[in-house]
Amino acid sequence: MNQAAAAVLLIEDSEIDALLLRDALADDLLGRFDVTTVERLGVGLQLLAQQHFDVVLLDLGLPDSQGLATFEKLHAAAPEVPVVVFSGNLDTRAAMEAVQRGAQDYLIKGQTAWVSAPRAIRYAIERQRSQALLQQNERRLRLLIENAPGAIALLGDDGKVTFASASSLRVIGYPAQEFVGTDPAHITHPDDLPPLIELLIDVMQHPGKVRMMEYRVRHKKGTYIWVESTITNLLQEPGINALAFNFQEITERKRTEEQLRELNRTLEDRV
């Protein structure tokens, strides 16, 4: 089955450069490219609003736009479309800044650029797809976290909360932005704090270890509630570097358990 041609929007005002680039793409053996060429940024922006392109090849020096502003206008109008910028020697700094601000690659005009263009296009499209998939997975994970029955908090090695899911408001009454940066020991019941600290020390000494504990915390309203926390040592995980607390309120369950124990004691006394 033939591979679908990549839709390329080339924004380039030099007829010679555009011709050389189109020839390089036509000669590429690894991919097929359907190239649409325009000479002005304004026309390119209109086309992007009207139809789909897999990638944009952008000259930073155009009749209606110059330098880094050229990329910024295009990226603001179509942030989801990968961009490879072309630059003359005098615009190298602007090209590098464009990459820092979101362009996938930049090529210095000349024979080397035309040879490198097909590969740069393929890499740009693939990187953009990977980034989009990563962002989609992150959004999905965030939705799962925010809609979980409990809440999630990350505790750094300094004992401060580095992340709290929005559902922490539902469980302990503290909005996430208010909970982050605090020491949860301050809201832990004094009687439950020593065994909790002992458990945390044990967890911290064993990467990946998971423990569970029931203890009391002070709700923002001022009353103590029971929570059940599953605590996982993720201190060695890049990008996390924290103890993960997955906690939910169990006050009603604890109350029911206490009532059952009281009932059993009453029955035992009668017997």
Side-chain angles (χ1 to χ4, degrees), residues 153-215:
L154 298 180
L155 191 68
D157 56 11
D158 61 352
K160 301 293 180 62
V161 177
T162 61
F163 167 84
S165 64
S167 46
S168 62
L169 173 64
R170 183 174 66 247
V171 178
I172 58 176
Y174 289 91
Q177 63 271 22
E178 186 177 334
F179 195 34
V180 170
T182 65
D183 183 348
H186 294 157
I187 63 171
T188 304
H189 194 285
D191 293 344
D192 298 335
L193 187 56
L196 178 59
I197 292 176
E198 183 178 348
L199 180 144
L200 292 180
I201 292 174
D202 177 57
V203 171
M204 292 177 69
Q205 293 174 345
H206 302 88
K209 188 167 187 176
V210 180
R211 293 285 301 274
M212 182 181 293
M213 181 174 175
E214 299 174 358
Y215 55 96

Side-chain angles (χ1 to χ4, degrees), residues 16-62:
I16 294 178
D17 288 340
L19 179 61
L20 290 171
L21 182 57
R22 293 176 72 99
D23 286 345
L25 296 181
D27 293 339
D28 184 64
L29 300 177
L30 298 179
R32 297 192 301 118
F33 305 94
D34 181 8
V35 183
T36 300
T37 304
V38 298
E39 297 182 357
R40 292 177 177 270
L41 178 63
V43 179
L45 294 178
Q46 291 176 2
L47 283 177
L48 282 169
Q50 296 169 0
Q51 63 189 86
H52 168 77
F53 288 96
D54 294 304
V55 66
V56 174
L57 307 182
L58 178 67
D59 180 11
L60 293 182
L62 299 169

